[in-house]
Amino acid sequence: MGTKYFQKAEGYRKSAEYSKAINLYQKALAYFKEKSDGTGMLDCIISLADTFRAKGEFINAKEYYEEGLELADILGDKASVADALTGLGLCWRALGDWKDALDLIGRAHRLYKTLRDKKGETFSIWARAGTYRIKGDINMALIDFHAALKKFKALKDPSGIAYTYCGLGGSSRIAELFDASGEYYILANQLFQKLQDRFGLAYSYCGLGNVYRMYRDYESALQYFKKAEVLYKRIGDRVSYAYTLWSVGTTYKMLGEKEKALKSFRESAHLFTQTEDPRGKIYCMLGIGEIDYLDGKKSRAQEAFSKALASAKKYRFGVERKYAERLLKASETGKGFPFNLP
């Protein structure tokens, strides 16, 4: 019975029906606990952690990864230890602690190499690349994403390839390599279409929307953001949806539709507060601050920019610190508003 629940849950997770998957994983876990089946319990715990992380529920995911790490250690399952370390690192990354995330993912990477687990090793490189992006070390992010891409291609892993294209797309945009960013997201979108990966499609749609935004084709940008919004709402991923809302708000800001922009920024900020994402909150502070500045509320805007800068310094976010400093300086000169932040 437990195996039946688990396999059905795996199917739901693959199709991004996360709430249904969680319900069945929990049923399977209860069954395996009753039977004192440690391996079955571990599989359920790690899968629950992965699914909560996919939904953007990082606190729940972190607790399951920690439980899984403890059980994997007891069972002597080194591969699951590495999986739990990687997942835990991704949770800490999302919660703003990129330093501990790099440490955990580094430990997992070394363990995967010891186990000669090529797939795990490659996934850990991909995870490390995204962590460098959060830190603000875009050069290292691009280096690691390219390394992961080469390895995923050697493994003939289309899903890994597609998600790495998305990572390259986002990092390239931050580096202001907009043509490359667009090319990567198009390649990712094509693969996700073939794989029928709803989460991946939403990810690539949002990325393409941001590329069009950087080229100031705001109508096309909003069309792609709408596609992403529909899928993220269906999936139930609050964090990715929140970043999409921020992108929508920024697009409306650039169009001069300040009320619509403010509505998106506030809704996005609310979601980032719920999911405890400090980086997302910084972006919303900057966006709302810009609207205040454009409305002639200079001191209020500067207060928002200063708070965003203080938070970026606290978490040592390189890119967000640069943006906050740029906006604070611009508020003194009065030049350059509104900013189309990458």
Side-chain angles (χ1 to χ4, degrees):
M1 184 63 75
T3 303
K4 185 179 177 183
Y5 284 142
F6 183 83
Q7 288 174 344
K8 198 169 181 181
E10 291 281 273
Y12 280 130
R13 180 156 68 105
K14 191 175 180 181
S15 61
E17 295 182 76
Y18 296 134
S19 295
K20 289 180 180 179
I22 286 167
N23 181 50
L24 284 169
Y25 281 134
Q26 287 173 334
K27 284 184 176 181
L29 179 59
Y31 177 86
F32 289 129
K33 278 183 177 178
E34 188 180 329
K35 299 294 182 182
S36 299
D37 183 337
T39 301
M41 287 166 59
L42 182 58
D43 288 343
C44 290
I45 289 165
I46 297 294
S47 293
L48 277 164
D50 289 342
T51 311
F52 275 117
R53 180 171 57 82
K55 281 192 74 181
E57 295 185 26
F58 301 113
I59 300 299
N60 283 335
K62 187 169 73 70
E63 289 173 358
Y64 276 110
Y65 281 128
E66 286 168 348
E67 186 181 349
L69 189 59
E70 187 177 340
L71 181 56
D73 194 44
I74 291 167
L75 295 173
D77 186 337
K78 291 183 179 180
S80 292
V81 166
D83 292 344
L85 285 170
T86 306
L88 198 55
L90 291 171
C91 288
W92 279 118
R93 181 181 90 180
L95 295 167
D97 188 348
W98 56 261
K99 190 173 184 297
D100 280 343
L102 283 175
D103 177 60
L104 289 161
I105 293 165
R107 285 167 58 192
H109 179 72
R110 291 188 292 274
L111 187 49
Y112 283 130
K113 287 189 81 170
T114 300
L115 296 169
R116 297 183 181 180
D117 182 341
K118 296 294 184 184
K119 189 172 181 180
E121 182 187 340
T122 305
F123 181 71
S124 67
I125 294 170
W126 174 87
R128 188 175 65 195
T131 308
Y132 278 125
R133 183 187 169 190
I134 300 295
K135 178 187 177 184
D137 190 340
I138 304 304
N139 186 51
M140 279 303 301
L142 287 168
I143 288 169
D144 264 355
F145 276 130
H146 280 297
L149 181 63
K150 185 178 178 180
K151 287 179 177 291
F152 275 129
K153 283 182 175 179
L155 290 168
K156 297 180 181 179
D157 182 341
S159 181
I161 291 167
Y163 278 101
T164 306
Y165 279 144
C166 279
L168 282 164
S171 296
S172 297
R173 187 180 74 250
I174 301 300
E176 300 188 15
L177 304 170
F178 303 133
D179 285 350
S181 180
E183 288 168 10
Y184 287 129
Y185 280 123
I186 287 168
L187 288 169
N189 186 266
Q190 289 170 347
L191 274 174
F192 287 133
Q193 294 278 5
K194 289 178 184 177
L195 294 167
Q196 296 184 313
D197 184 330
R198 287 195 298 175
F199 182 91
L201 278 171
Y203 190 178
S204 59
Y205 283 143
C206 186
L208 284 166
N210 278 314
V211 171
Y212 279 109
R213 177 172 65 80
M214 297 318 300
Y215 282 123
R216 298 181 183 272
D217 183 349
Y218 300 125
E219 186 178 338
S220 294
L222 287 171
Q223 287 174 0
Y224 276 105
F225 292 142
K226 187 64 183 175
K227 288 182 178 183
E229 278 187 68
V230 168
L231 287 172
Y232 280 137
K233 275 185 176 179
R234 193 178 301 164
I235 291 166
D237 181 347
R238 292 180 296 167
V239 171
S240 300
Y241 179 50
Y243 276 106
T244 305
L245 281 173
W246 174 82
S247 297
V248 169
T250 302
T251 306
Y252 281 131
K253 178 192 73 183
M254 298 307 297
L255 286 167
E257 297 188 45
K258 292 182 285 189
E259 286 303 315
K260 286 184 178 180
L262 201 56
K263 183 176 181 293
S264 290
F265 286 142
R266 283 175 175 162
E267 190 177 346
S268 179
H270 177 68
L271 289 169
F272 284 131
T273 298
Q274 285 185 336
T275 56
E276 301 186 36
D277 185 329
R279 190 165 145 268
K281 286 191 278 188
I282 288 169
Y283 279 110
C284 291
M285 278 189 265
L286 295 175
I288 292 168
E290 278 200 74
I291 300 297
D292 284 335
Y293 189 90
L294 293 167
D295 279 340
K297 301 167 186 173
K298 182 179 175 180
S299 61
R300 194 160 139 182
Q302 288 179 326
E303 184 182 352
F305 300 150
S306 295
K307 281 183 178 178
L309 178 58
S311 184
K313 285 180 177 178
K314 175 185 174 183
Y315 288 98
R316 292 174 291 173
F317 294 149
V319 170
E320 291 71 28
R321 176 175 178 166
K322 181 182 74 174
Y323 292 159
E325 288 173 339
R326 180 180 175 186
L327 286 165
L328 200 53
K329 185 177 180 180
S331 70
E332 294 293 345
T333 64
K335 293 178 181 178
F337 288 98
F339 280 99
N340 197 14
L341 294 180

